[in-house]
Amino acid sequence: MSTVTTTPSTRTNADAASAAVDARDLVYAYGERRALDSLSISVPQGTIFGLLGPNGCGKSTLLSMLIGRRKPDSGDIRVLGQPLSAKLRARMGIVFQEPSLDPTMTVRESMQLQGRMFGLPRATTEQRTTQLLDNVALTDRAASMTATLSGGMKRRLELARALLTEPALLLLDEPTLALDLDSRQDLWRHLLEANAAGTTLLLATNDVAEAERYCHTITLLDEGRVVAHGTPADLKRDLRHDAVRVEWKDDAEREAATIESWPGVGGVRIAGRTTHVTVDAASPFLTRLFQDAGSRINGVQIEETTLEDVYFQLVGKTISTSDAAQRSTV
Amino acid sequence: MRELDAIAALVVRDLRGFFRSRSQLYSSVFFPLMLLAILGAGVQDGLDPRNIDDYVTFLTPGMIVMTALFSSTFSSATYYQDRDSGILRVLFAAPHSQRVILLGKTLSSVVIGVAQALIVLGVAAAIPAIHFHWQYGVVRSVALTVLGVVLLNLFLSGLGQLLASRIRSMQGFHLVMNLVLFPFLFFSGAFFPLDQLPIWLKILGRINPLSYGVDLIQASLYARDSGGYLGVPVDLAVLTVLAAAVFYLGTSRSVSLER
């Protein structure tokens, strides 16, 4: 936990007032299971902040609290320096994990409904709709029913809709889920533009690469608790330097048990016939690997360490392990 | 003011959706009229004239109530479409209380239901075989009918909303609505007079909320005088209390968005 830079006990009221989100000691339980277990985070304004963890770690539960859908069993949340309220949501936007468009409405009507629900003057809504649809390359589809849009287009429209009210805080619940690579990059281009214009982005994701690439700071979550917090570089600082992926001809588990005892080896993760090993230095490890087990190896690849390795080192499990039964939505 | 604009936006949205759904638009008006023609003409000949001398006219208020009932059920079922499309999440994330959003949904249901009921009333009034007696005068009788339909729709839409927000599947919702509302309809006096029924059915009729809607509209359109009716003040009072109660109950608990 050496990478945790901010803890509830050290945060001051000034921090809370200046933070986009300041949550302290949040507890929320679904029956017996604690989705949030004394969770505290502080999201600085103007940053891209990642909540990273596997499904069921409490990310979506936290976002649902921020938009007022759930109330914490205990703890305190302030958004943009104020306690949560319906009115405060006028300064927030959200892109949900699952599609959230009315299939009986056109693209333009979806934007207009958002404008009216948020109390924007009609002229402002029209002007910003035109501008945003142009930004997300949907101008020529403005009169189309949303049901006819592709997955990528729908996501771009959902983002444009969320940005219509120029929110100070934009909540993103796995916004690129099920999008192809081009659509992901496209969406992130727009998100980065919004961030550059001053919008704080709070991203809940289990996509390690995405969080590492785009987030300024990241909080790693496990079972509703913060396990580490910092910049991607901070989080990886204490980690072994290199990562080696070894594909075995046969049983990876037996090989992993042997490798774990070698000097200079950190975490060993197993996925099928592959082991992912973090090591102090790749060269001596590879030398020994080929000497001791060369005939049983199918292939070897040296990789950079990722936040997945950090998470595994801290928690002992991977982020990408999904448990559909635990998944909740905002 | 912002709340009113949000409610208006929701009503406009639902109306637009209704008019885009042609099958719902046509069937909601044609079904009661078809029933009026077939049931009215068919049963008329087999009736003992000592009981009801003009069955088609007698049946018309019941068809108006049935239109309100079906319309409210359909409108309440849009809750599931909104939930499943994800738009309900977006609406609840707007800077308004849950009550404002649900009021908007309820009012759109009321507007659609009232419009449909008035179309049925207008068409029925133009049919030569139907002879309304307008005992309070045409304008007052129409106004009372409209008021009755509004209150009935408020109650039924509120009830639909209340059930929809607590029943996870649309199939379950329709099952419960059919189980509750069809007996309501049959023992409301919409198809046959309640005063000729056995005592236990009379009691059921009196505790049936739809009876008060049927009574109000029959008294306004069909009756020659107020004898044998519960009375307009009673009908209005009961419907108002029921509408307010279900709306309060429907909005006082957090609505689940889980499927």
Side-chain angles (χ1 to χ4, degrees):
Chain A
M1 290 289 283
S2 60
T3 49
V4 176
T5 55
T6 309
T7 62
S9 57
T10 57
R11 284 210 304 274
T12 63
N13 288 335
D15 289 334
S18 64
V21 177
D22 186 75
R24 301 185 188 202
D25 299 320
L26 293 183
V27 174
Y28 186 85
Y30 296 99
E32 293 293 303
R33 187 175 73 86
R34 275 199 170 190
L36 300 181
D37 191 359
S38 298
L39 181 125
S40 297
I41 61 163
S42 181
V43 180
Q45 289 201 34
T47 63
I48 304 178
F49 188 100
L51 293 169
L52 183 62
N55 293 332
C57 73
K59 306 183 296 282
S60 295
T61 302
L62 177 61
L63 293 197
S64 71
M65 279 180 188
L66 293 174
I67 57 167
R69 287 303 302 157
R70 291 192 172 92
K71 287 199 170 98
D73 296 335
S74 63
D76 180 54
I77 311 178
R78 295 181 85 82
V79 172
L80 303 166
Q82 294 175 36
L84 285 177
S85 67
K87 278 189 178 171
L88 188 60
R89 293 202 290 272
R91 299 174 65 195
M92 296 160 66
I94 184 163
V95 176
F96 292 96
Q97 185 185 108
E98 292 173 353
S100 59
L101 294 170
D102 183 346
T104 68
M105 295 177 86
T106 67
V107 168
R108 187 172 286 280
E109 286 165 359
S110 299
M111 299 290 282
Q112 288 166 339
L113 177 64
Q114 182 82 347
R116 288 190 76 180
M117 292 306 294
F118 276 72
L120 289 189
R122 199 161 290 196
T124 309
T125 300
E126 290 306 319
Q127 181 207 336
R128 285 194 54 75
T129 295
T130 303
Q131 179 197 332
L132 283 163
L133 292 185
D134 186 45
N135 286 355
V136 298
L138 285 173
T139 301
D140 59 339
R141 300 300 299 270
S144 302
M145 303 300 283
T146 61
T148 66
L149 301 180
S150 70
M153 287 175 177
K154 283 179 180 169
R155 265 290 128 111
R156 295 206 304 269
L157 174 57
E158 286 167 343
L159 177 61
R161 183 180 61 185
L163 292 174
L164 181 72
T165 54
E166 297 183 313
L169 171 66
L170 181 58
L171 310 175
L172 303 159
D173 191 11
E174 302 195 26
T176 57
L177 194 74
L179 290 187
D180 60 41
L181 189 62
D182 286 346
S183 299
R184 279 172 179 239
Q185 287 176 342
D186 204 26
L187 193 78
W188 268 107
R189 187 168 57 80
H190 298 303
L191 288 171
L192 292 174
E193 282 170 8
N195 179 244
T199 302
T200 305
L201 306 185
L202 175 53
L203 169 73
T205 185
N206 58 11
D207 187 322
V208 174
E210 196 166 77
E212 199 166 334
R213 183 168 178 191
Y214 296 111
C215 293
H216 301 138
T217 48
I218 292 171
T219 289
L220 299 179
L221 298 178
D222 176 50
E223 295 181 356
R225 290 187 300 270
V226 174
V227 291
H229 169 80
T231 66
D234 282 342
L235 289 167
K236 289 198 289 185
R237 188 162 295 148
D238 295 338
L239 202 65
R240 311 270 171 171
H241 190 260
D242 292 328
V244 180
R245 198 158 65 92
V246 186
E247 193 185 328
W248 301 94
K249 288 178 179 169
D250 210 354
D251 183 15
E253 281 197 29
R254 190 165 48 85
E255 304 290 358
T258 310
I259 288 173
E260 259 178 340
S261 63
W262 295 357
V265 170
V268 181
R269 286 188 277 125
I270 304 165
R273 288 188 179 177
T274 303
T275 51
H276 183 92
V277 188
T278 53
V279 292
D280 287 336
S283 301
F285 172 77
L286 289 173
T287 305
R288 179 157 186 191
L289 181 72
F290 283 113
Q291 276 174 357
D292 290 12
S295 61
R296 302 192 296 277
I297 293 169
N298 248 354
V300 173
Q301 195 175 344
I302 300 174
E303 299 169 333
E304 276 187 33
T305 50
T306 67
L307 290 176
E308 184 81 74
D309 300 311
V310 176
Y311 194 85
F312 188 78
Q313 184 163 301
L314 291 168
V315 182
K317 59 189 178 191
T318 58
I319 292 173
S320 52
T321 304
S322 67
D323 180 355
Q326 285 198 323
R327 167 169 276 184
S328 65
T329 52
V330 177
Chain B
M1 192 62 192
R2 282 189 169 188
E3 278 74 16
L4 288 179
D5 200 36
I7 288 168
L10 290 171
V11 172
V12 168
R13 168 188 167 269
D14 279 3
L15 281 175
R16 196 189 282 134
F18 175 75
F19 283 110
R20 280 180 180 157
S21 171
R22 296 281 165 86
S23 56
Q24 194 187 338
L25 178 65
Y26 295 143
S27 64
S28 60
V29 174
F30 285 129
F31 182 67
L33 290 174
M34 186 183 72
L35 211 61
L36 194 61
I38 295 171
L39 202 63
V43 175
Q44 175 75 58
D45 293 341
L47 274 179
D48 181 344
R50 286 170 300 179
N51 294 335
I52 304 171
D53 57 356
D54 182 0
Y55 187 67
V56 186
T57 307
F58 170 84
L59 193 61
T60 305
M63 291 302 101
I64 292 171
V65 169
M66 193 181 79
T67 306
L69 176 69
F70 283 1
S71 159
S72 306
T73 307
F74 276 124
S75 295
S76 303
T78 63
Y79 167 87
Y80 293 96
Q81 292 160 15
D82 289 347
R83 183 197 66 182
D84 294 347
S85 71
I87 191 70
L88 207 53
R89 289 174 200 283
V90 177
L91 297 178
F92 282 136
H96 303 289
S97 68
Q98 174 182 286
R99 196 159 277 172
V100 169
I101 307 298
L102 294 180
L103 180 60
K105 293 279 303 163
T106 303
L107 285 184
S108 54
S109 169
V110 170
V111 170
I112 291 167
V114 170
Q116 287 175 330
L118 291 182
I119 290 172
V120 172
L121 172 63
V123 173
I127 295 173
I130 293 175
H131 311 99
F132 292 140
H133 296 115
W134 315 106
Q135 69 157 320
Y136 303 115
V138 175
V139 175
R140 274 193 190 173
S141 294
V142 169
L144 279 174
T145 301
V146 170
L147 188 58
V149 169
V150 168
L151 289 172
L152 205 55
N153 267 286
L154 269 173
F155 165 67
L156 292 168
S157 302
L159 182 67
Q161 196 91 264
L162 181 67
L163 291 173
S165 62
R166 278 147 184 80
I167 300 171
R168 285 202 171 183
S169 75
M170 196 196 277
Q171 291 88 342
F173 169 76
H174 280 301
L175 193 70
V176 172
M177 288 299 269
N178 289 342
L179 206 66
V180 173
L181 295 181
F182 271 107
F184 271 12
L185 186 63
F186 289 136
F187 300 114
S188 66
F191 295 101
F192 40 81
L194 292 177
D195 54 9
Q196 291 158 24
L197 296 178
I199 185 72
W200 66 277
L201 283 178
K202 274 187 191 169
I203 294 170
L204 276 182
R206 285 293 172 263
I207 58 173
N208 176 358
L210 291 194
S211 300
Y212 297 88
V214 171
D215 189 78
L216 175 63
I217 299 171
Q218 276 182 349
S220 303
L221 302 179
Y222 171 75
R224 287 191 168 86
D225 55 57
S226 298
Y229 289 90
L230 295 167
V232 170
V234 173
D235 296 329
L236 289 176
V238 170
L239 289 172
T240 303
V241 168
L242 286 172
V246 288
F247 181 74
Y248 174 77
L249 286 173
T251 55
S252 58
R253 227 181 71 177
S254 183
V255 172
S256 169
L257 295 174
E258 303 293 331
R259 292 178 203 184

